[in-house]
Amino acid sequence: MDIVGARLLVVGATGGLGGLVAGLAADRGARVVPAGRDVGRLAAVARRVGSPFSQTFDAYDLDRCSALAGRAAEHLGGLDAVLVAIGAVAFGRVEDVPAEIEEHLMAVNALAPIAVLRGALRAVGGGGAVGAVTGIVVERPTASAGAYRASKAALSGWLETARLEQRGRAVGVLEARPPHLATGFAERAVAGVLPRLPAGSDPAPWAAAVLDGLFAGAELVRPDSGDGRTPRAGTAARAASARRPGRG
Ligand SMILES: NC(=O)c1ccc[n+]([C@@H]2O[C@H](COP(=O)([O-])OP(=O)(O)OC[C@H]3O[C@@H](n4cnc5c(N)ncnc54)[C@H](OP(=O)(O)O)[C@@H]3O)[C@@H](O)[C@H]2O)c1
């Protein structure tokens, strides 16, 4: 799919990664509608991408989440691609994380993205693409991130089924699994103590890889099995074989 003139909705454009994707897409000639929770940051992103139309929402309003793509399509006269880049994290051993924190992570990381994508699959035409950001944590259990991993794994499972179902319509379903990125996301954890983490990777190449992957119809963007930091696009099957013992 050609990005020039493409109509793209970025949900979570107020975030570090989503903002970079939205800005890059606009620079490359896409018509971008940003959606986010923070009103001030959303206005700044809308200015950055030159959109007179933007949408606020909260992850807990699932009806509004599922209506975002339809409203963007009304504004743009159709919709070619949707990316969901919202998320929240909390830390703590699995036996210590309170139920309300687990519920919050499930709402922000699974239920809201699923609601957005449900609406997106109705709004995006054949040959288009939808995608969401999970994280490499879905492949690798990380101590003190059990609730976060469970919520992202729920989204990952939904995406796999959606991908199967969309083959007949030629709608791409992308899952991006970045490693720890230097966006400040982990430092904004809603609960728990930030564990010792390696320095986050530069989010800019990840934003570019996610955007490229979305428009190329890739299934997965995940870290290269060599250095574990450089983004690499591919198919879900190829990624599974790259993870087999002895393959890195
Ligand atoms: N950074 C990392 O280390 C890392 C690693 C792997 C995967 N990821 C994933 O990458 C995605 C982007 O994260 P990021 O690094 O860009 O972090 P970020 O800058 O903190 O962005 C988080 C985004 O989620 C939105 N959000 C959070 N709670 C929300 C709620 N209740 N309702 C609506 N929106 C809500 C924020 O909206 P507002 O700003 O408008 O409040 C913001 O747009 C997330 O899915 C994250 O899980 C991040």
Side-chain angles (χ1 to χ4, degrees):
M1 195 187 351
D2 190 352
I3 194 165
V4 178
R7 298 157 297 187
L8 169 68
L9 169 67
V10 179
V11 177
T14 47
L17 190 60
L20 287 170
V21 171
L24 189 59
D27 291 347
R28 292 183 180 176
R31 295 171 63 202
V32 180
V33 164
R37 178 177 56 164
D38 184 276
V39 176
R41 276 197 295 279
L42 184 61
V45 179
R47 278 193 300 277
R48 162 78 177 85
V49 302
S51 176
F53 180 65
S54 61
Q55 302 185 76
T56 54
F57 73 100
D58 191 281
Y60 280 86
D61 186 345
L62 296 178
D63 288 342
R64 188 161 173 86
C65 288
S66 61
L68 290 173
R71 293 187 65 214
E74 276 169 28
H75 171 76
L76 294 167
L79 200 58
D80 301 298
V82 176
L83 179 74
V84 185
I86 67 170
V89 68
F91 298 109
R93 290 174 61 88
V94 290
E95 69 270 34
D96 294 334
V97 175
E100 62 267 27
I101 296 297
E102 292 175 331
E103 192 176 353
H104 181 73
L105 297 190
M106 284 291 177
V108 177
N109 295 333
L111 295 177
I114 287 169
V116 173
L117 292 167
R118 196 165 52 232
L121 288 173
R122 295 190 193 118
V124 166
V130 304
V133 185
T134 60
I136 196 61
V137 72
V138 302
E139 297 178 21
R140 297 180 197 148
T142 306
S144 91
Y148 177 64
R149 179 170 194 250
S151 63
K152 290 292 193 179
L155 175 57
S156 178
W158 190 93
L159 290 166
E160 284 177 345
T161 302
R163 187 176 302 125
L164 268 183
E165 293 176 354
Q166 291 301 313
R167 279 195 185 137
R169 294 182 65 218
V171 170
V173 177
L174 173 73
E175 178 181 355
R177 296 178 181 168
H180 175 46
L181 301 176
T183 60
F185 174 72
E187 291 76 6
R188 286 188 285 279
V190 295
V193 177
L194 181 68
R196 191 189 285 258
L197 291 170
S201 298
D202 180 359
W206 280 89
V210 169
L211 186 63
D212 290 344
L214 191 66
F215 279 84
E219 296 180 349
L220 267 185
V221 176
R222 61 184 296 282
D224 184 271
S225 45
D227 67 7
R229 294 170 80 92
T230 307
R232 183 166 180 168
T235 62
R238 194 176 308 153
S241 83
R243 292 200 309 275
R244 274 190 213 119
R247 300 283 303 268

